[in-house]
Amino acid sequence: MMRTGGLITCILFFFLYLSGASAMRPVMKKRREPCKRLELFFHDIVYNGKNAENATSTIVAAPEGANRTILAGQNHFGNVVVFDDPITLDNNLHSTPVGRAQGMYIYDRKDTFCSWLGFTFALNSTEHQGTLSFIGADPLLNKTRDISVVGGTGDFSLAKGIATIMTDAYEGEVYFRLHVDIKLYECW
Amino acid sequence: MMRTGGLITCILFFFLYLSGASAMRPVMKKRREPCKRLELFFHDIVYNGKNAENATSTIVAAPEGANRTILAGQNHFGNVVVFDDPITLDNNLHSTPVGRAQGMYIYDRKDTFCSWLGFTFALNSTEHQGTLSFIGADPLLNKTRDISVVGGTGDFSLAKGIATIMTDAYEGEVYFRLHVDIKLYECW
Amino acid sequence: MMRTGGLITCILFFFLYLSGASAMRPVMKKRREPCKRLELFFHDIVYNGKNAENATSTIVAAPEGANRTILAGQNHFGNVVVFDDPITLDNNLHSTPVGRAQGMYIYDRKDTFCSWLGFTFALNSTEHQGTLSFIGADPLLNKTRDISVVGGTGDFSLAKGIATIMTDAYEGEVYFRLHVDIKLYECW
């Protein structure tokens, strides 16, 4: 009888063990909460032929027939813009930058304002040292647009995530301020 | 004797537990089967100076001396093309699009037809809402070419995978139809 | 008494089990050692109007007013260069290539030499068959620069990692030799 008692208890643990084992399969689970989150602003001042001193971006390519001082017609389709924009913690262009947003955007649609983005945040502040790289489509007229965080270095080594971009302000076709809400889901 | 029986049983479980523990180390295993798979077509109509109405892509950059209406010599080395192509479920250009392929390709070799691709699929159908971003080399003369899925948003949040590209049809240097077999290996 | 003995032993295992379970949560751990490492060199010979035979890269875009034969002023800000460079195992340009580095770089700063890189290594040797894709900011004057490995195919399927770039040699503004130390942290 004693023996049976011990056996029953152990068999119980055996099933507990089995159910535990299946729950512990090394499958990556959906994690809904970001492991790191950053909210930043960057400021793009497009060169228009007159603002060489302040400009942080410049049109470098355009379809045949278009020039590179004024954004092209048809929703700027075909314009390639290279930028090196200051990143700030708040929405003030004159705040001390915490890094630079470097890369390019391409106006890639004829029927609406839309661009394709490829760029890197190089952060260099007391809080963050490292880079985050982004790729994605940016349908500018939408209130929020999600792009992909495809990699990172330094403090953001091997980062992966989603960045939500919002146009925070713009002046004509010269100044654009972007608000970026970066959510990382893999933190090493 | 009874006691020994209970102990032996439990010791047995102890070893089972240990072996289980080592098998359950949280190491990501090779997963050979995609967790999501999509087969799509996209249609690229290159602007040639005469087809402004239909064109979905345009040459925006070329080496010094080349113009941007005709693809350059030397296997188009140095041409940068921006596109906004319809994506369809079948190989018919006139099928209802399920999204747009947006981005660019660069002819990057002098000795053969080869391009470097950076683009995003923005899918917007009843079945899929979200984006997938791609990067890779595209040696056009190979029957199949593998490029990387480097990120995604919406239904494809944090996607990672491989896309196999096949040239499904082409007409001169104006129309290219690409068949894309997308295999995702990380699905959140 | 016997029964109690069995129970105590088993209860002991129950706690062992619980503590084990929490240690085995399927959370990806920081892995400090790369699972794959490659050291490679690539060789960039920029077209300057006279070296068409040897050149492996060409300026394809520049701001308005700049031409595409000579790198632009202001630290080449706005120049887009397309390349197809041989990759070698050592620092000798004339060694048998093990693949091609294909993609582009963009000079993206006015105040210093800095570029944004998007490119793919297409490796084709007895040792490695496959591609690795890279994105990142390249502050050229730093001794070492980290960029992101954002994807891979073939032998490098779904690769993720960090590549450290070092300028190994340069001659004027025509020849650049880059040493790349690639560390992959996800190997499938």
Side-chain angles (χ1 to χ4, degrees), chain A residues 15-77:
Chain A
F15 284 107
L16 256 171
Y17 172 86
L18 278 187
S19 67
S22 89
M24 277 182 283
R25 267 184 313 209
V27 170
M28 186 128 54
K29 292 282 176 54
K30 215 162 197 143
R31 268 176 266 168
R32 292 181 186 280
E33 293 305 311
C35 48
K36 203 175 269 185
R37 193 161 181 176
L38 290 94
E39 290 210 43
L40 297 165
F41 293 81
F42 69 103
H43 308 264
D44 193 42
I45 304 170
V46 186
Y47 175 63
N48 66 356
K50 299 169 205 160
N51 59 351
E53 298 249 323
N54 297 330
T56 63
S57 68
T58 181
I59 304 169
V60 299
E64 193 70 35
N67 79 25
R68 285 163 280 166
T69 312
I70 297 159
L71 288 165
Q74 287 198 308
N75 296 297
H76 315 333
F77 179 62

Side-chain angles (χ1 to χ4, degrees), chain A residues 1-4 6-7 10-11 13-14 17 20-22 24-31 60-66 68 74 77-80 104 106-111 114-116 135-138 146-150 160-163 183 185-186, chain B residues 1-2 5-6 9-10 13 16-17 19-21 23-29 31 52-61 67-69 80 82-84 100 102-104 118-120 122 131 133-135 150-154 157-160 186-188:
Chain A
M1 188 209 109
M2 300 279 152
R3 195 183 183 178
T4 320
L7 248 179
C10 282
I11 282 165
F13 285 116
F14 184 65
Y17 172 86
S22 89
M24 277 182 283
R25 267 184 313 209
V27 170
M28 186 128 54
K29 292 282 176 54
K30 215 162 197 143
R31 268 176 266 168
V60 299
E64 193 70 35
R68 285 163 280 166
Q74 287 198 308
F77 179 62
N79 274 142
V80 178
M104 60 163 188
I106 295 176
Y107 286 97
D108 59 14
R109 288 189 69 162
K110 281 197 287 191
D111 57 342
C114 187
S115 72
W116 186 78
I135 278 185
D138 180 13
D146 280 355
I147 61 171
S148 294
V149 179
V150 297
K160 206 167 163 186
I162 307 279
K183 289 146 281 186
Y185 293 90
E186 288 188 20
Chain B
M1 190 211 110
M2 299 281 152
T9 321
C10 283
F13 285 117
L16 255 171
Y17 172 86
S19 66
M24 276 182 282
R25 267 183 315 209
V27 170
M28 185 128 52
K29 292 283 176 54
R31 270 176 263 170
E53 299 248 325
N54 297 330
T56 63
S57 68
T58 182
I59 305 169
V60 299
N67 78 24
R68 284 163 280 167
T69 313
V80 178
V82 170
F83 61 91
D84 164 34
R100 311 291 298 187
Q102 303 175 344
M104 60 162 190
F119 65 98
T120 298
T131 71
S133 289
F134 305 85
I135 277 185
V150 297
T153 65
S157 224
L158 307 171
K160 207 167 163 186
E186 289 189 21
C187 302
W188 288 63

Side-chain angles (χ1 to χ4, degrees), chain A residues 63-149:
Chain A
E64 193 70 35
N67 79 25
R68 285 163 280 166
T69 312
I70 297 159
L71 288 165
Q74 287 198 308
N75 296 297
H76 315 333
F77 179 62
N79 274 142
V80 178
V81 179
V82 170
F83 61 91
D84 164 33
D85 294 343
I87 301 169
T88 57
L89 294 175
D90 60 21
N91 64 5
N92 187 342
L93 168 62
H94 303 293
S95 295
T96 307
V98 293
R100 310 292 298 186
Q102 303 176 344
M104 60 163 188
Y105 50 90
I106 295 176
Y107 286 97
D108 59 14
R109 288 189 69 162
K110 281 197 287 191
D111 57 342
T112 183
F113 282 108
C114 187
S115 72
W116 186 78
L117 299 168
F119 66 97
T120 298
F121 270 17
L123 293 172
N124 187 4
S125 68
T126 46
E127 213 181 336
H128 297 295
Q129 295 273 345
T131 71
L132 282 166
S133 289
F134 305 84
I135 278 185
D138 180 13
L140 295 154
L141 302 182
N142 291 7
K143 200 169 174 232
T144 65
R145 295 89 73 181
D146 280 355
I147 61 171
S148 294
V149 179

Side-chain angles (χ1 to χ4, degrees), chain B residues 86-141:
Chain B
I87 302 169
T88 57
L89 295 174
D90 61 19
N91 65 5
N92 188 341
L93 169 62
H94 303 293
S95 295
T96 307
V98 293
R100 311 291 298 187
Q102 303 175 344
M104 60 162 190
Y105 50 91
I106 295 176
Y107 285 98
D108 60 14
R109 289 190 68 161
K110 281 197 288 192
D111 58 341
T112 183
F113 282 108
C114 185
S115 72
W116 187 78
L117 298 168
F119 65 98
T120 298
F121 270 18
L123 294 172
N124 187 4
S125 69
T126 46
E127 213 182 335
H128 297 296
Q129 296 273 345
T131 71
L132 282 167
S133 289
F134 305 85
I135 277 185
D138 180 14
L140 295 153
L141 302 182

